[in-house]
Amino acid sequence: MKHETIETNVGWLIILTMIVISIGGLVEIIPLYFIKDTIETVKVDGKDTVHPYTPLELRGRDIYMREGCYLCHSQMIRPFRDENIRYGHYSLAAESRYDHPFQWGSKRTGPDLARVGGKYSNEWHLQHLVNPRDVVPESIMPSYPWLTEPLKFNAINDRLKALKATGVPYSQTQEEYQANVERFGKPTADMLDINNAEQNLIDQAQDGNYDGNRNDITEADALIAYLQSLGTMVDFSKFEEGYFAKFR
Amino acid sequence: MSKEKKQQAVQTTGHAWDGDLQEFNNPLPTWWLWAFYGTVIFAIVYWVLFPAWPVGKSYTKGVLNDITYTTPAGKQVTSHWNTRALYLEEMEKARAEHAAYMEQLQSASLAEIANNEELSAFAYSMAKVLFADDCAACHQAGANGVIGSYPNLLDDDWLWGGTYDQIHASIANGHNGFMPAFSKTLNSAQMDDVAEYVISLSGSDVNPQKAEIGSNIFNGETGGCYYCHDKGGVGRISQGAANLTDSIWTIADVPGQATLEGKKAVVKRVIANGVNRKMPAWKNRLNDTEVKILTFYVHELGGGN
């Protein structure tokens, strides 16, 4: 093909430019799917400890994205001493393997949230979401008082199915459920069963009582359940220091 | 040479658009060209030294094998360049810098730390950072707490006890502060009476008859308040139940009320709704020494016993 043909034909120019530019990205991305060590093996007693979000946590994650929390909060602790002191162990690739899309972020107007799970009480989270100044006087975070409204979860099955289509191991058939029992253990596998998603969501909201009111299921229930799960799936005391460095 | 002749001497790319629109084919500036070659050479050197090219299921690790760290088992590991090994090396260096103090902190008792000026200064400044990161969100930057939610740590009134051991247990294991709601057990008049009695305990002038009825509910089986708050409302540390006989309040904002009616109303609200609050356990998030120096810090803040 002559140079002149490309320069004088817009269709060819667009197609060939796109091919050339995408090579740069593909060369960096594709090998990661084949390199063994990209995602760390995080097993305790033979079971994967990192598992997909429960239905309630997943709805909380949707709200996290709807409200744009990621614009100010990252979820990615980098392997530096100062980050360790403030936020805890650095984030693993395995910990965001079921995130579609991931919430790593690159802008910290607020603190990193990758390990915020368990750090504060549910009550604190509720007060802080409704009006951050009530608990942190110097905070510049906006208030989110509408989170105390009822949670919509009638489409939860479809949401799980959509994620399943991208490769997240939620189970629909008996076979898939058995595979999850094998992989994550029974209590977790039960939570990942699409057929019981709605009941699981209701039960977790009632038992967890995240917003201090057992009578209704609010968006705050879901969001706080999600926040309390962040960074809690890997128990680092079960792995000797340096174990995760072997994957790099 | 005229300007016109000089322009004619420059080569063109040979294309012509719209009849006479042509493109010069000037050579690239030399400085630019060498900078470009420089980046190529840099890239090749980088590929050799650092992790770079994917090969099958692995990748080239680079020959820069200069990061050394020690595993917990005491084995020296030398690694190719990567941020996680770099981090381990950095953490090890930091540990070595603090080692002299940290060893002392680990072995010394909290009383010994308090009596050693140098050690306590180190523990205090380190704990201050931990407090700001982990505790201040609830207990506030100055540790004065939020009435209704989070206890003030500056005074000498302790729900769960203020000795070193008790503070240590509180930080390490967390707490569930629970008082049942009495709105279904007691009727409104009974709750009024109990509120009257509770207010009287810290010296407010109240209706003695109503307080008397309240006292019977509180110290009897109708309310059973004494299970946790003890007879006479002096509190019970094993339950985290508040001492109601002093004028320090953590849930009901009694000091903030101007009138006696207001004070009774806030106390009644607590009786009706109960209390359900939680302090997270920190032993999995912080290491033993960190919990220890935080204990020291909190004890120092106000009135540790």
Side-chain angles (χ1 to χ4, degrees):
Chain A
M1 191 180 292
K2 280 176 71 182
H3 190 206
E4 196 175 343
T5 322
I6 302 169
E7 279 199 353
T8 54
N9 186 325
V10 172
W12 274 116
L13 190 65
I14 290 174
I15 291 167
L16 295 173
T17 306
M18 273 165 50
I19 291 174
V20 170
I21 290 175
S22 59
I23 287 171
L26 293 173
V27 161
E28 291 183 8
I29 295 164
I30 290 176
L32 292 174
Y33 288 95
F34 300 100
I35 293 172
K36 284 204 310 287
D37 295 343
T38 303
I39 296 178
E40 305 87 349
T41 311
V42 191
K43 279 183 193 290
V44 173
D45 302 330
K47 303 282 185 209
D48 271 0
T49 67
V50 178
H51 56 78
Y53 295 110
T54 66
L56 184 68
E57 289 159 12
L58 188 71
R59 280 305 283 133
R61 190 172 179 280
D62 293 338
I63 291 160
Y64 184 92
M65 289 192 282
R66 182 191 75 191
E67 300 297 351
C69 305
Y70 57 85
L71 291 166
C72 292
H73 293 285
S74 58
Q75 287 188 24
M76 172 70 177
I77 304 167
R78 296 169 293 176
F80 303 136
R81 180 186 167 198
D82 53 329
E83 300 237 333
N84 170 286
I85 291 171
R86 176 146 187 206
Y87 301 122
H89 196 284
Y90 57 78
S91 296
L92 304 177
E95 286 178 293
S96 36
R97 70 185 303 181
Y98 301 123
D99 272 11
H100 295 282
F102 61 77
Q103 299 294 315
W104 299 339
S106 57
K107 175 80 172 75
R108 284 181 187 160
T109 301
D112 188 276
L113 299 180
R115 300 210 184 282
V116 79
K119 188 169 182 179
Y120 308 118
S121 63
N122 295 338
E123 185 196 16
W124 184 90
H125 276 297
L126 185 70
Q127 288 173 338
H128 183 251
L129 289 167
V130 170
N131 182 17
R133 257 73 50 200
D134 281 355
V135 282
V136 186
E138 66 274 22
S139 173
I140 56 163
M141 180 171 130
S143 303
Y144 297 88
W146 53 85
L147 293 177
T148 50
E149 285 170 15
L151 176 74
K152 288 199 192 85
F153 56 90
N154 47 1
I156 188 67
N157 289 21
D158 293 336
R159 287 172 189 276
L160 295 182
K161 279 180 203 158
L163 280 170
K164 183 167 178 281
T166 69
V168 180
Y170 291 109
S171 66
Q172 253 176 313
T173 66
Q174 189 59 27
E175 265 172 26
E176 286 164 346
Y177 171 76
Q178 281 308 330
N180 275 351
V181 172
E182 194 70 17
R183 183 169 173 190
F184 302 111
K186 191 171 183 304
T188 308
D190 286 341
M191 291 303 277
L192 304 180
D193 189 353
I194 296 178
N195 305 313
N196 287 335
E198 202 162 307
Q199 194 55 45
N200 281 337
L201 184 148
I202 295 167
D203 289 348
Q204 192 186 354
Q206 302 273 340
D207 294 349
N209 194 21
Y210 299 95
D211 67 351
N213 182 352
R214 282 182 209 274
N215 299 326
D216 55 6
I217 298 172
T218 62
E219 292 186 337
D221 271 318
L223 183 56
I224 295 170
Y226 169 65
L227 291 171
Q228 294 289 31
S229 79
L230 288 178
T232 59
M233 291 187 199
V234 182
D235 180 356
F236 286 95
S237 68
K238 297 267 195 315
F239 300 90
E240 71 169 40
E241 204 179 345
Y243 171 78
F244 293 107
K246 291 176 195 155
F247 293 90
R248 288 292 175 270
Chain B
M1 244 199 301
S2 74
K3 204 181 166 191
E4 203 175 296
K5 270 191 179 168
K6 195 180 174 185
Q7 278 187 346
Q8 279 174 348
V10 175
Q11 277 191 339
T12 66
T13 54
H15 305 158
W17 289 274
D18 292 345
D20 60 349
L21 198 57
Q22 285 180 294
E23 214 180 344
F24 282 144
N25 193 11
N26 282 316
L28 291 161
T30 318
W31 69 266
W32 189 93
L33 211 53
W34 281 109
F36 176 67
Y37 294 146
T39 60
V40 171
I41 293 163
F42 177 88
I44 292 167
V45 173
Y46 188 95
W47 293 343
V48 175
L49 295 179
F50 291 93
W53 284 96
V55 181
K57 289 186 172 177
S58 185
Y59 50 91
T60 59
K61 311 250 168 177
V63 297
L64 208 62
N65 222 28
D66 66 343
I67 301 175
T68 309
Y69 59 89
T70 316
T71 64
K75 210 176 98 190
Q76 287 253 323
V77 178
T78 303
S79 162
H80 65 279
W81 191 93
N82 71 85
T83 50
R84 290 183 182 180
L86 214 56
Y87 161 82
L88 289 169
E89 194 183 47
E90 188 187 7
M91 293 303 279
E92 196 176 318
K93 233 178 253 170
R95 273 199 298 271
E97 277 169 18
H98 286 164
Y101 284 118
M102 294 310 265
E103 275 163 28
Q104 284 186 63
L105 284 177
Q106 273 160 21
S107 55
S109 73
L110 284 159
E112 281 164 5
I113 294 173
N115 291 328
N116 182 333
E117 202 176 318
E118 201 186 344
L119 202 56
S120 63
F122 179 82
Y124 193 85
S125 58
M126 202 165 165
K128 201 173 170 178
V129 175
L130 289 171
F131 190 90
D133 272 349
D134 299 321
C135 315
C138 293
H139 292 288
Q140 307 293 290
N144 51 313
V146 176
I147 197 154
S149 301
Y150 312 109
N152 182 339
L153 303 176
L154 297 173
D155 57 27
D156 62 354
D157 189 46
W158 298 90
L159 289 170
W160 299 94
T163 66
Y164 281 130
D165 285 347
Q166 287 164 330
I167 296 173
H168 190 278
S170 295
I171 297 173
N173 305 321
H175 279 303
N176 279 318
F178 179 73
M179 168 174 150
F182 284 88
S183 53
K184 294 200 175 107
T185 328
L186 302 176
N187 63 36
S188 183
Q190 286 174 313
M191 287 193 284
D192 277 329
D193 296 338
V194 174
E196 198 96 23
Y197 170 68
V198 168
I199 294 283
S200 79
L201 290 174
S202 49
S204 288
D205 267 336
V206 296
N207 179 332
Q209 280 165 329
K210 291 184 80 175
E212 176 68 33
I213 305 171
S215 170
N216 289 335
I217 298 170
F218 188 101
N219 295 308
E221 299 309 315
T222 321
C225 312
Y226 75 95
Y227 294 159
C228 296
H229 287 288
D230 216 339
K231 295 267 183 193
V234 294
R236 198 169 273 177
I237 276 172
S238 62
Q239 306 296 319
N243 180 351
L244 303 172
T245 63
D246 57 26
S247 6
I248 298 173
W249 298 86
T250 62
I251 305 281
D253 186 14
V254 171
Q257 306 302 319
T259 63
L260 191 64
E261 287 313 308
K263 291 179 191 201
K264 279 190 282 191
V266 289
V267 172
K268 185 182 175 187
R269 208 175 306 144
V270 176
I271 297 169
N273 300 334
V275 176
N276 196 356
R277 53 183 189 169
K278 189 176 175 194
M279 161 150 165
W282 290 90
K283 63 182 171 195
N284 296 328
R285 194 173 273 273
L286 303 174
N287 67 36
D288 293 346
T289 316
E290 286 169 333
V291 173
K292 193 170 179 180
I293 59 175
L294 265 177
T295 305
F296 168 74
Y297 182 83
V298 171
H299 190 271
E300 284 290 288
L301 280 175
N305 300 328

